[in-house]
Amino acid sequence: MDKLNFWGSHQEQQKEEQSKEDDLTTILKKDEQGELFRLVGAATEGMRSAIEANFESLQNSDIPSQLGTTSEGATAQSSDSASKDTSQQAEQGQQEGESVLKLKELRTALLRYFDDWQGSVTLRLGEVMNARDSAERQEGRSAGDQSHGTEVGTDRLKQAAPVDEANQGIYSPIPTSLADVAEDKRVLILHSMLLLLLSLEHYTAFSRVLLLRLTSSLGITRGVLVEDEKKVAQGLLEAAKHMSGDEAAKKRAEENKDSRRWKVGIASVAGAALIGVTGGLAAPLVAAGIGGVMGGLGLGATAAAGYLGTLAGSSVLVGGLFGAYGGRMTGQMMDSYAREIEDFAFLPVRGAHKTKKGWSDPHEASPEDRRLRVLIGISGWLTDKEDVIRPWHVVGDKAEVFALRYELDAMLGLGNALTRMVKTAAWGYAKSEIIKHTIFASLSAALWPLGLLKISRVVDNPFSIAKSRSDKAGHVLADALINRAQGERPVTLIGYSLGARVIYSCLMSLAERKAFGLVESAVLMGAPTASTAPEWRTMRSVVAGRLVNVYSENDYILGFLYRTSSIQLGIAGLQKVEDVKHIENIDVSGIVEGHLRYRYLVGSILQRIGFEDIDPVEIQKEEEALKMMMEKEEKERQARTGEEPDEVAEKQAEKEAEILEREVERKNHETFMKKNVPSQRS
């Protein structure tokens, strides 16, 4: 009896405490609540307008022949294309008409998806804001007497942060009176919106962009948002970890496997013990976890759990949010993605640590590294196997960072060929000649020195192979995202050289399959892809946030490698993308003097474009590595000063090419024999 009395009094006390907890309806006045509705509505309408702007200037001649088959995949037309007969012109006109129809279908599908998401956000916000009024009406009290707006100030939030000019430059702030309320209220609004969006049981790319727009309009820095995303992720995982539910995990995996192209093994799911899946985690437990990470923000634990909705009561949903209960991106099941692409794997950047024997197994990622956002970095060539991960250490710890590994042999072969080609006398002479004409003149008039063309066979074949494999890797990456390898979290894709080609192929594949809301942002550096509007407009349709083209007009290597492609379509890594709204073109000609520089400038470039989470210490390491490489190149150049470039390039090019081929073959053999690359356990 005493025990029953205890629990009865405990429940009454808990109910009384819950009634005293603050939430949006008690902290915001009535007019402020209405302004929040208006702000969210204006932000989402702005996002919708950006979608419509992407399609507004379409012309028949400005459409790729197929969404999944790019125009640069077509055979280059000869100079006498004007002599096409009538039947060919008719066929071309028919293809263009079909393409217009496909673009219209893409636009319709995207707007339908967005409108559904927008409606769910509006409905969820309305439910929360009206909940207290409904409860008070049932109790016969006046809601107006309660919603007077309370103070929620804390020491943490009294430390005012500067305005995030970079974010406001990307997402223009919407004028709102909420920007003038106390900072602690503004931060609490942002926290509450994060929980409400998570209660939709997915954290889509559109949800993340909405929060960035609200952050800009409320005058809050992105640092506040990313720190809270980190804490909420850890709170959800910590709360769910206390329960066990292998049977529930197995049942869910069994239900999903027949409907998915890629099969998730029971071992992978059961092995993801960091979440500890169960079908009935009690809401108070999750509320306690979230309440802990929300401490000092003014939002009560019960209110936080209420905002999370069903997510607060089911660790199965929590597991789904993080991707097969945290096991999809690094488990044994990833072998299923490698049927067409060798070595395909997502390697956790912070799961690998340097040891005396090389790098530790990245499968041992720490649960503390789980986040609400995923970032995938893709290297464009490799000089050693550690280059798969090494460039991506510049990204900070506010996102869950993975490096995409694929086709090691092909990428190593290309890296070895490129690094040795640029050291040849023929390349040194060729570069001096190209500079005289500009790279674009060399491309259009085929003004490549004969000596360089003779050694081109050393790099042309590796580049062709690696480019083809990168296209396939992009399609497989799209499959992985569509099948939620990342869970229900937004993904940012960053790549340089052929890594950017992977992103290009991935985005085109997502557009073909009308897979929206998956990719938050994409950054393509030195991309060996077409720069025409059709492709980039199609890519834009599946990127909710930023789509960035980073190019250098001094990238002679890219121009040379791409010379056999359809030059008339342009090269994104060498020039701006024109006639497509909401594409960011970043000219890095001042710091990127050659294609091989990108490997050492990832952090500096991301910092330049206002990326939100960069590690300055790692940027410094990049700069030091680049300086060492440049000093080495200068010594090698000086060693060749006594040679006659013209004579070496033109008369001895064949001999040099033979020597170069032997060197590349030897280096390939050496690198393939090394076993110190992070690898997935079988």
Side-chain angles (χ1 to χ4, degrees), residues 528-676:
T529 68
S531 61
T532 49
E535 278 75 13
W536 285 80
R537 183 170 289 116
T538 302
M539 294 160 62
R540 172 75 264 181
S541 70
V542 291
V543 178
R546 305 176 67 186
L547 179 56
V548 184
N549 174 46
V550 179
Y551 69 96
S552 170
E553 296 178 355
N554 298 324
D555 195 344
Y556 305 106
I557 295 176
L558 177 58
F560 181 68
L561 292 172
Y562 215 71
R563 71 190 185 284
T564 58
S565 300
S566 303
I567 301 303
Q568 69 274 16
L569 299 176
I571 305 173
L574 295 176
Q575 62 195 105
K576 290 182 178 180
V577 173
E578 306 281 3
D579 304 323
V580 182
K581 293 186 177 181
H582 305 297
I583 299 290
E584 298 178 47
N585 289 291
I586 307 297
D587 185 356
V588 293
S589 302
I591 60 174
V592 177
E593 298 178 358
H595 202 60
L596 301 184
R597 293 284 195 274
Y598 281 110
R599 153 68 183 83
Y600 302 94
L601 292 169
V602 170
S604 298
I605 291 172
L606 291 177
Q607 190 174 55
R608 175 175 292 197
I609 68 175
F611 198 76
E612 60 193 270
D613 187 21
I614 300 298
D615 188 339
V617 175
E618 293 296 332
I619 291 181
Q620 185 176 357
K621 291 180 181 179
E622 275 190 342
E623 292 173 347
E624 292 172 354
L626 176 60
K627 183 180 179 181
M628 292 177 59
M629 187 192 77
M630 293 175 65
E631 290 175 350
K632 183 178 180 181
E633 286 182 353
E634 179 61 19
K635 289 180 181 179
E636 293 173 347
R637 186 193 67 78
Q638 291 179 358
R640 295 196 305 266
T641 3
E643 302 175 352
E644 178 58 44
D646 196 343
E647 180 181 348
V648 172
E650 299 298 336
K651 296 182 179 180
Q652 301 183 23
E654 187 64 35
K655 180 179 179 181
E656 190 174 36
E658 293 175 359
I659 296 174
L660 184 59
E661 285 179 321
R662 289 195 295 270
E663 288 182 354
V664 170
E665 184 178 355
R666 176 184 57 80
K667 183 60 177 176
N668 286 345
H669 179 72
E670 291 177 358
T671 52
F672 298 159
M673 294 298 292
K674 292 180 179 179
K675 302 295 183 183
N676 62 344

Side-chain angles (χ1 to χ4, degrees), residues 54-55 57-72 96 99-100 102-103 106 504 507-508 511-512 529-542 547 568-570 577-581 583:
N54 183 44
F55 295 95
S57 60
L58 293 175
Q59 301 294 332
N60 283 359
S61 59
D62 188 37
I63 311 290
S65 58
Q66 293 181 2
L67 289 180
T69 303
T70 67
S71 57
E72 65 173 289
E96 289 177 349
S99 298
V100 171
K102 288 184 177 181
L103 248 301
L106 179 63
Y504 167 84
L507 297 180
M508 295 297 287
E512 182 184 16
T529 68
S531 61
T532 49
E535 278 75 13
W536 285 80
R537 183 170 289 116
T538 302
M539 294 160 62
R540 172 75 264 181
S541 70
V542 291
L547 179 56
Q568 69 274 16
L569 299 176
V577 173
E578 306 281 3
D579 304 323
V580 182
K581 293 186 177 181
I583 299 290

Side-chain angles (χ1 to χ4, degrees), residues 1-15:
M1 181 64 67
D2 291 341
K3 186 174 182 180
L4 290 176
N5 290 336
F6 168 79
W7 283 111
S9 60
H10 175 73
Q11 290 175 350
E12 291 178 2
Q13 180 181 359
Q14 185 181 51
K15 183 176 181 180

Side-chain angles (χ1 to χ4, degrees), residues 469-521:
R469 303 289 171 80
S470 297
D471 284 337
K472 289 184 178 180
H475 290 296
V476 175
L477 176 58
D479 285 340
L481 298 182
I482 288 173
N483 288 284
R484 301 302 193 274
Q486 76 284 4
E488 300 291 348
R489 299 176 292 173
V491 176
T492 290
L493 303 173
I494 304 176
Y496 62 86
S497 185
L498 286 177
R501 180 80 189 191
V502 173
I503 296 174
Y504 167 84
S505 176
C506 173
L507 297 180
M508 295 297 287
S509 182
L510 291 176
E512 182 184 16
R513 291 183 274 181
K514 299 179 177 59
F516 309 116
L518 301 175
V519 178
E520 177 192 343
S521 295

Side-chain angles (χ1 to χ4, degrees), residues 52 93 143 186 223 233 303 357 409 451 541 630 678:
E52 292 179 321
R186 286 180 278 136
K357 298 181 179 179
D409 288 358
S541 70
M630 293 175 65

Side-chain angles (χ1 to χ4, degrees), residues 408-424:
L408 281 176
D409 288 358
M411 305 311 291
L412 284 166
L414 175 62
N416 290 332
L418 287 176
T419 54
R420 273 149 185 77
M421 183 192 75
V422 298
K423 296 176 182 179
T424 63

